[in-house]
Amino acid sequence: MSVRHTGTIAALAATALALAILSGCAPAAQSERPQVHVTTNILGDVVAELAGDEIDVTTLMAPGADPHSFELSARQAAEMRSADLIVANGLGLEEGLSQHVTAAAEEGVAIFEAGAAVEVLAYAEGAGDDPHFWTDPAQMIRVVDALTPLLAGLAADARGAERVREAAADYRADLAALDEDMTAAFAPIPPSQRALVTNHHVFGYLARRFDFDVLGAAIPSGTTLAAPSAADLQGLVTAIDAAGVRTIFAESSQPDRLMQVLAEEAHRDVAVVELLTESLAPHGEEGDTYLTMMRTNTARLAAGLSR
């Protein structure tokens, strides 16, 4: 090979390397698809199923996050204000995000609160509305039905809107099948064993749908930010003993030490079973989607209450 050719090849290689470096340093092109930001990872998974490739969906809460205490970074808060739509749980769940949702709304961002689409259940203690509607798949169907027209309206064209509606119809069928499977799984549990005890009140909607009794919670509140009193815990231990409860349930987003103490204080063999309640599992683990989370919880609830 001649020296002249070698020099030419070297120059081309240098140019290619420089272009690659410049390309790597350049900011990524902004997607031209509509931008939807979702507060919780449970709703984020559902919205992504409906949106498909027609809409960019950003989920703010990472798997394992506690929605009651989760807070945004400055970057996330700024990006929310440029979204085309924000999907929030509502009903007081996202205690650390409410100010950011309000700020985005004041700047003209459309807000969809899923809680406005459900048959809201009040806490038994009368301490406001229960935001944990997703424990009842029939309520999630109501959310899907209300959200679908908004997402279809964001699609770039008529075909994209139709794809959103088709995805929603398929997912709605999945939710209906989930509801049927949960009904079948819980059917064999005798009435005397249908008592639920958890970290805090999160299963009211499931109890209403599938005829369970919420005996109590270690934290007698709808938020994990509250703290139980000694009298609260002693009263719950007494109720566990009186009802003959054999299994109590700890939430994956909260340490189960409090539930272990309850089990130790009860005068019987009481198992502590972990459930996924307010957050999905990390990607690749059991319960990393809403549908698999609900099926995982159903299996654990049915097994635990059948002991």
Side-chain angles (χ1 to χ4, degrees):
M1 178 181 293
S2 69
V3 174
R4 184 169 62 85
H5 285 169
T6 300
T8 301
I9 292 173
L12 288 172
T15 301
L17 177 60
L19 288 173
I21 293 173
L22 289 173
S23 176
C25 294
Q30 179 69 32
S31 171
E32 294 183 358
R33 292 184 297 186
Q35 304 292 310
V36 174
H37 288 231
V38 189
T39 57
T40 73
N41 53 62
I42 292 174
L43 281 174
D45 175 65
V46 175
V47 174
E49 288 289 338
L50 307 185
D53 295 329
E54 306 305 316
I55 299 168
D56 283 339
V57 177
T58 298
T59 300
L60 299 174
M61 292 186 193
D66 181 345
H68 297 283
S69 59
F70 180 84
E71 295 184 358
L72 294 179
S73 67
R75 179 183 60 79
Q76 287 176 311
E79 290 175 349
M80 281 180 68
R81 295 194 292 274
S82 62
D84 295 291
L85 174 68
I86 292 173
V87 176
N89 189 92
L91 301 175
L93 181 75
E94 307 101 322
E95 298 170 66
L97 272 66
S98 59
Q99 61 179 328
H100 300 295
V101 174
T102 299
E106 290 174 348
E107 294 195 17
V109 179
I111 310 294
F112 173 85
E113 284 201 352
V118 307
E119 297 172 322
V120 178
L121 179 68
Y123 285 118
E125 292 81 2
D129 295 330
D130 186 344
H132 307 95
F133 60 81
W134 62 84
T135 61
D136 175 2
Q139 299 306 315
M140 190 61 87
I141 288 176
R142 293 174 66 94
V143 172
V144 168
D145 287 347
L147 181 57
T148 297
L150 295 179
L151 295 178
L154 288 177
D157 52 36
R159 182 63 190 123
E162 183 59 25
R163 280 193 284 264
V164 169
R165 287 189 286 267
E166 289 171 354
D170 290 342
Y171 195 72
R172 196 182 192 283
D174 290 339
L175 292 172
L178 171 65
D179 186 78
E180 292 176 1
D181 291 345
M182 291 177 70
T183 300
F186 295 146
I189 302 173
S192 62
Q193 293 176 218
R194 288 175 168 260
L196 295 174
V197 178
T198 58
N199 289 61
H200 79 289
H201 288 302
V202 71
F203 283 109
Y205 289 89
L206 181 144
R208 180 178 68 180
R209 178 70 174 175
F210 301 106
D211 196 23
F212 285 95
D213 176 30
V214 179
L215 184 64
I219 302 173
S221 170
T223 173
T224 56
L225 301 182
S229 68
D232 290 330
L233 295 179
Q234 186 54 55
L236 187 52
V237 168
T238 300
I240 289 171
D241 286 338
V245 170
R246 301 173 185 177
T247 305
I248 58 180
F249 299 95
E251 301 168 53
S252 61
S253 62
Q254 293 292 317
D256 71 350
R257 177 57 187 158
L258 188 57
M259 306 306 285
Q260 295 287 354
V261 169
L262 280 177
E264 292 167 6
E265 290 294 323
H267 305 299
R268 63 182 67 253
D269 175 26
V270 178
V272 178
V273 174
E274 184 179 282
L275 298 177
L276 294 156
T277 55
E278 295 188 313
S279 177
L280 301 180
H283 180 67
E285 296 185 11
E286 186 178 31
D288 63 352
T289 69
Y290 171 69
L291 293 175
T292 59
M293 178 192 81
M294 292 294 289
R295 292 187 181 281
T296 297
N297 285 345
T298 296
R300 293 179 184 178
L301 283 165
L305 296 175
S306 298
R307 288 182 68 233

